[in-house]
Amino acid sequence: MATAAQWIEGARPRTLPNAIAPVLVGTGAAASLDLAVWWKALLALIVSLALIVGVNFANDYSDGIRGTDDDRVGPLRLVGSKLVSPGAVKAAAISCFAVAAVAGFVLAATTAWWLVAVGVFCIIGAWFYTGGKKPYGYSGFGEIAVFIFFGLIAVLGTQFVQAERVDLAGLAGAIAIGSFSSAVLVANNLRDIPTDTESGKITLAVRLGDAKTRTLHVILLAVPFVATLLLILRTPWALLGLLALPLAIRANAPLRSGGQGMALIPALRDTGLAMLVWGAATAVALSLA
């Protein structure tokens, strides 16, 4: 029987910046148009948090029943460690998706009904990342999915439900957050190359190999700071985004030094923190525009 602390660890709280940062940036982009709606921002945050916890439980369930997590290196997995039954973890994932669906339905009802289709697309994407007979996360498309769902859709969706339009500032923020989110997954999958290769999980890291995956992490971390320079065209306050640069440099340090296995865990943490700091700073900057 898993404890409450183990359930929390199984929800992968270190991934929460991937859910919080896009809502911050999307709300900042809406505020830059003087169209921020705070209760909608809160609902968007509930959707984003529920989706990421849901996909984490769904991955735990799907990877666990396949045996992918039997010999993993890294944080606790509930099914793989046999602490929780697969059915219970599956139910937790579905419950999270239901919360996201309810909050998303309210946003759609008060903004545009076609957003319901976007929500359905997100939930399907979350489940089939590692679920189903041919999960796309096992074919090297995980980073692209993360970029789309927790970058483009999350940021631009947050801006749209408040401002009922998107703009270039929102798009720049979406690309930046999507790159950060993808960098988190790149670091995670770099760590798991040996076990993923053995279990037949062909991630992008497995396809690229160790050296190219480390280079990709650097490139993805650089993109948000290019976006910062572009956002200066909207407001000089965008330079606040550079506050995240030391964290980004620290996040890449374990990869530059050739770290393997557990030595790469700090890279995941610091990439997420860099994203959160960049997102918060940029949201403030856009609000002041």
Side-chain angles (χ1 to χ4, degrees), residues 25-77:
V25 174
T27 299
S32 74
L33 301 172
D34 295 322
L35 293 170
V37 181
W38 300 107
W39 67 267
K40 287 190 173 184
L42 180 59
L43 279 178
L45 181 60
I46 291 171
V47 170
S48 191
L49 287 170
L51 279 176
I52 202 161
V53 174
V55 75
N56 287 341
F57 281 137
N59 292 347
D60 193 306
Y61 164 76
S62 297
D63 284 343
I65 62 173
R66 282 191 174 88
T68 307
D69 285 344
D70 288 352
D71 299 306
R72 66 171 280 106
V73 175
L76 174 75
R77 295 295 180 260

Side-chain angles (χ1 to χ4, degrees), residues 73-148:
V73 175
L76 174 75
R77 295 295 180 260
L78 297 170
V79 176
S81 63
K82 298 180 172 54
L83 284 169
V84 182
S85 70
V89 176
K90 183 179 181 180
I94 292 172
S95 297
C96 290
F97 293 148
V99 170
V102 171
F105 184 84
V106 174
L107 287 172
T110 55
T111 308
W113 283 109
W114 58 263
L115 290 171
V116 171
V118 176
V120 171
F121 176 62
C122 290
I123 291 173
I124 290 173
W127 181 259
F128 287 102
Y129 173 59
T130 55
K133 292 182 179 179
K134 293 184 177 180
Y136 63 85
Y138 279 47
S139 301
F141 296 106
E143 285 79 2
I144 295 173
V146 166
F147 182 86
I148 292 171

Side-chain angles (χ1 to χ4, degrees), residues 188-231:
N188 181 79
N189 289 343
L190 173 65
R191 180 198 67 202
D192 292 341
I193 284 177
T195 54
D196 285 344
T197 301
E198 185 176 344
S199 64
K201 185 176 182 179
I202 310 302
T203 63
L204 182 60
V206 172
R207 290 185 183 277
L208 292 177
D210 186 283
K212 290 181 180 178
T213 300
R214 292 173 193 270
T215 300
L216 178 60
H217 190 259
V218 174
I219 293 170
L220 289 170
L221 286 180
V223 170
F225 300 102
V226 174
T228 291
L229 299 179
L230 293 175
L231 286 169

